Amino acid sequence: MPGATFKGGVAAALFATALVSSQPASAQSPFDNPPPDKIVITVATVNGSGCPAGTAAVAVSPDNTAFTVTYSDYLAQVGKGAKPTDFRKNCQLNLVVHVPQGFTYAIASVDYRGYAHLEKGATSVEKASYYFQGSSNTAAKSHEFTGVFDDNWQATDVSDIATVEWAPCGALRNFNINTELRVNAGTSDTTNTTSFMTMDSTDGSVSTTYHFAWKECPPA
């Protein structure tokens, strides 16, 4: 990539609260009790300049407590060698989540990882929003970075169990994840230097992990 040397991991952690209307009733701890049966997540659509066709993949952990989105071509950059449109990249994932019967879920926390190189005077922002199909509510979080910065980054936001909202019981609603990387040149020297933020690396893809919370639905 022009003007950029990747090392393996960019980061920002976003709070992904699942948005819904109905609250299942259960006294058990949803963070510690995943359903015994496996869940299945399929990608309905992937759109955006940060995730061209074939560059984003979703996998579910064996214990059903998390799912991971892996990107292999997600880079925003400004300066030497960058195109005018490269300063912002985005990706929208529309996921179909098939949950075992009798359970519902929320997204309790999310970890973003990656690598950033920011020259003096440059800044970058990582932003994400989350919502269920048909819901008017959207949870959003952004993280800012300031040059000089040249390192892996990682952060985690965890929701309190009292604040998470749950997918409606007995209804299949697609889950949407919108992410964005934006790099601003600011006062940096864009003639001779390049600043960038990436969710990919030359030595392997960077994973973004979303952690589930679970509850049993009330009897129908």
Side-chain angles (χ1 to χ4, degrees):
M1 198 65 61
T5 300
F6 301 131
K7 298 182 181 177
V10 181
L14 307 139
F15 172 45
T17 304
L19 309 160
V20 214
S21 53
S22 65
Q23 294 263 29
S26 175
Q28 70 183 21
S29 170
F31 293 104
D32 300 325
N33 294 278
D37 297 326
K38 68 179 293 187
I39 63 172
V40 178
I41 297 177
T42 57
V43 179
T45 59
V46 180
N47 294 297
S49 55
C51 53
T55 65
V58 180
V60 182
S61 66
D63 60 1
N64 294 340
T65 59
F67 69 91
T68 299
V69 182
T70 301
Y71 300 98
S72 59
D73 189 15
Y74 202 156
L75 165 76
Q77 63 178 346
V78 294
K80 185 178 180 180
K83 299 176 183 178
T85 56
D86 285 346
F87 79 99
R88 178 186 179 274
K89 294 296 176 72
N90 76 294
C91 183
Q92 176 168 331
L93 296 173
N94 186 301
L95 306 178
V96 182
V97 183
H98 299 273
V99 180
Q101 186 174 3
F103 282 84
T104 188
Y105 73 97
I107 304 301
S109 66
V110 58
D111 305 314
Y112 280 80
R113 298 178 179 87
Y115 188 83
H117 173 86
L118 302 175
E119 295 288 332
K120 182 179 180 180
T123 60
S124 66
V125 175
E126 186 272 349
K127 181 179 180 181
S129 60
Y130 314 85
Y131 63 95
F132 283 105
Q133 181 183 14
S135 173
S136 60
N137 298 319
T138 301
K141 187 75 175 181
S142 62
H143 296 266
E144 298 183 1
F145 298 83
T146 301
V148 176
F149 187 93
D150 187 31
D151 205 351
N152 298 312
W153 52 266
Q154 175 183 351
T156 301
D157 288 339
V158 180
S159 69
D160 186 274
I161 188 57
T163 64
V164 295
E165 298 181 64
W166 302 85
C169 285
L172 183 61
R173 300 282 180 86
N174 287 16
F175 184 52
N176 292 276
I177 303 168
N178 297 315
T179 58
E180 174 184 331
L181 297 181
R182 185 187 297 263
V183 180
N184 300 307
T187 59
S188 64
D189 179 5
T190 56
T191 302
N192 299 305
T193 65
T194 304
S195 295
F196 66 90
M197 189 176 204
T198 179
M199 278 193 218
D200 77 347
S201 64
T202 56
D203 58 355
S205 298
V206 174
S207 297
T208 300
T209 303
Y210 300 80
H211 302 277
F212 284 121
W214 294 98
K215 278 190 177 182
E216 290 188 52
C217 292

